[in-house]
PDB file of all heavy atoms in Angstrom:
ATOM      1  N   THR A 402    -120.204 -46.329  -7.561  1.00 71.00           N
ATOM      2  CA  THR A 402    -120.664 -47.460  -8.164  1.00 71.00           C
ATOM      3  C   THR A 402    -120.021 -47.627  -9.512  1.00 71.00           C
ATOM      4  O   THR A 402    -119.815 -48.807 -10.023  1.00 71.00           O
ATOM      5  CB  THR A 402    -122.212 -47.387  -8.356  1.00 71.00           C
ATOM      6  OG1 THR A 402    -122.832 -47.156  -7.038  1.00 71.00           O
ATOM      7  CG2 THR A 402    -122.864 -48.654  -9.006  1.00 71.00           C
ATOM      8  N   GLU A 403    -119.760 -46.522 -10.287  1.00 70.00           N
ATOM      9  CA  GLU A 403    -119.180 -46.707 -11.618  1.00 70.00           C
ATOM     10  C   GLU A 403    -117.700 -47.228 -11.409  1.00 70.00           C
ATOM     11  O   GLU A 403    -117.239 -48.002 -12.382  1.00 70.00           O
ATOM     12  CB  GLU A 403    -119.129 -45.277 -12.312  1.00 70.00           C
ATOM     13  CG  GLU A 403    -118.292 -44.205 -11.444  1.00 70.00           C
ATOM     14  CD  GLU A 403    -119.125 -43.412 -10.539  1.00 70.00           C
ATOM     15  OE1 GLU A 403    -120.317 -44.011 -10.120  1.00 70.00           O
ATOM     16  OE2 GLU A 403    -118.842 -42.313 -10.175  1.00 70.00           O
ATOM     17  N   ASP A 404    -117.035 -47.054 -10.299  1.00 70.00           N
ATOM     18  CA  ASP A 404    -115.659 -47.647 -10.098  1.00 70.00           C
ATOM     19  C   ASP A 404    -115.831 -49.230 -10.048  1.00 70.00           C
ATOM     20  O   ASP A 404    -115.035 -49.876 -10.749  1.00 70.00           O
ATOM     21  CB  ASP A 404    -115.102 -47.157  -8.879  1.00 70.00           C
ATOM     22  CG  ASP A 404    -113.722 -47.655  -8.546  1.00 70.00           C
ATOM     23  OD1 ASP A 404    -113.080 -48.189  -9.485  1.00 70.00           O
ATOM     24  OD2 ASP A 404    -113.217 -47.564  -7.445  1.00 70.00           O
ATOM     25  N   ILE A 405    -116.768 -49.698  -9.412  1.00 73.00           N
ATOM     26  CA  ILE A 405    -117.047 -51.140  -9.265  1.00 73.00           C
ATOM     27  C   ILE A 405    -117.340 -51.727 -10.644  1.00 73.00           C
ATOM     28  O   ILE A 405    -116.834 -52.748 -11.081  1.00 73.00           O
ATOM     29  CB  ILE A 405    -118.131 -51.469  -8.306  1.00 73.00           C
ATOM     30  CG1 ILE A 405    -117.667 -50.949  -6.838  1.00 73.00           C
ATOM     31  CG2 ILE A 405    -118.343 -52.946  -8.072  1.00 73.00           C
ATOM     32  CD1 ILE A 405    -118.821 -51.047  -5.801  1.00 73.00           C
ATOM     33  N   VAL A 406    -118.225 -51.058 -11.349  1.00 77.00           N
ATOM     34  CA  VAL A 406    -118.747 -51.604 -12.589  1.00 77.00           C
ATOM     35  C   VAL A 406    -117.536 -51.589 -13.599  1.00 77.00           C
ATOM     36  O   VAL A 406    -117.304 -52.488 -14.345  1.00 77.00           O
ATOM     37  CB  VAL A 406    -119.976 -50.707 -13.140  1.00 77.00           C
ATOM     38  CG1 VAL A 406    -120.282 -51.130 -14.607  1.00 77.00           C
ATOM     39  CG2 VAL A 406    -121.032 -50.847 -12.306  1.00 77.00           C
ATOM     40  N   ILE A 407    -116.727 -50.592 -13.695  1.00 74.00           N
ATOM     41  CA  ILE A 407    -115.792 -50.344 -14.547  1.00 74.00           C
ATOM     42  C   ILE A 407    -114.678 -51.444 -14.290  1.00 74.00           C
ATOM     43  O   ILE A 407    -114.075 -52.177 -15.215  1.00 74.00           O
ATOM     44  CB  ILE A 407    -115.038 -48.973 -14.666  1.00 74.00           C
ATOM     45  CG1 ILE A 407    -116.016 -47.956 -15.207  1.00 74.00           C
ATOM     46  CG2 ILE A 407    -113.745 -48.955 -15.338  1.00 74.00           C
ATOM     47  CD1 ILE A 407    -115.514 -46.618 -15.034  1.00 74.00           C
ATOM     48  N   ARG A 408    -114.208 -51.571 -13.001  1.00 72.00           N
ATOM     49  CA  ARG A 408    -113.196 -52.616 -12.630  1.00 72.00           C
ATOM     50  C   ARG A 408    -113.529 -54.012 -13.154  1.00 72.00           C
ATOM     51  O   ARG A 408    -112.812 -54.688 -13.642  1.00 72.00           O
ATOM     52  CB  ARG A 408    -112.847 -52.553 -11.115  1.00 72.00           C
ATOM     53  CG  ARG A 408    -112.116 -51.221 -10.712  1.00 72.00           C
ATOM     54  CD  ARG A 408    -111.715 -51.386  -9.245  1.00 72.00           C
ATOM     55  NE  ARG A 408    -111.002 -50.246  -8.805  1.00 72.00           N
ATOM     56  CZ  ARG A 408    -109.690 -50.019  -9.020  1.00 72.00           C
ATOM     57  NH1 ARG A 408    -108.968 -50.912  -9.449  1.00 72.00           N
ATOM     58  NH2 ARG A 408    -109.214 -48.935  -8.348  1.00 72.00           N
ATOM     59  N   ILE A 409    -114.791 -54.304 -12.642  1.00 75.00           N
ATOM     60  CA  ILE A 409    -115.277 -55.790 -12.972  1.00 75.00           C
ATOM     61  C   ILE A 409    -115.413 -55.922 -14.540  1.00 75.00           C
ATOM     62  O   ILE A 409    -114.964 -56.942 -15.031  1.00 75.00           O
ATOM     63  CB  ILE A 409    -116.539 -56.037 -12.224  1.00 75.00           C
ATOM     64  CG1 ILE A 409    -116.207 -56.023 -10.720  1.00 75.00           C
ATOM     65  CG2 ILE A 409    -117.119 -57.479 -12.660  1.00 75.00           C
ATOM     66  CD1 ILE A 409    -117.516 -56.395 -10.044  1.00 75.00           C
ATOM     67  N   SER A 410    -116.066 -54.970 -15.234  1.00 76.00           N
ATOM     68  CA  SER A 410    -116.419 -55.309 -16.631  1.00 76.00           C
ATOM     69  C   SER A 410    -115.106 -55.253 -17.421  1.00 76.00           C
ATOM     70  O   SER A 410    -114.820 -55.991 -18.441  1.00 76.00           O
ATOM     71  CB  SER A 410    -117.291 -54.171 -17.060  1.00 76.00           C
ATOM     72  OG  SER A 410    -116.816 -52.917 -16.914  1.00 76.00           O
TER      73      SER A 410
END
Side-chain angles (χ1 to χ4, degrees):
T402 305
E403 58 270 25
D404 183 14
I405 301 173
V406 173
I407 290 173
R408 284 185 186 275
I409 296 179
S410 60

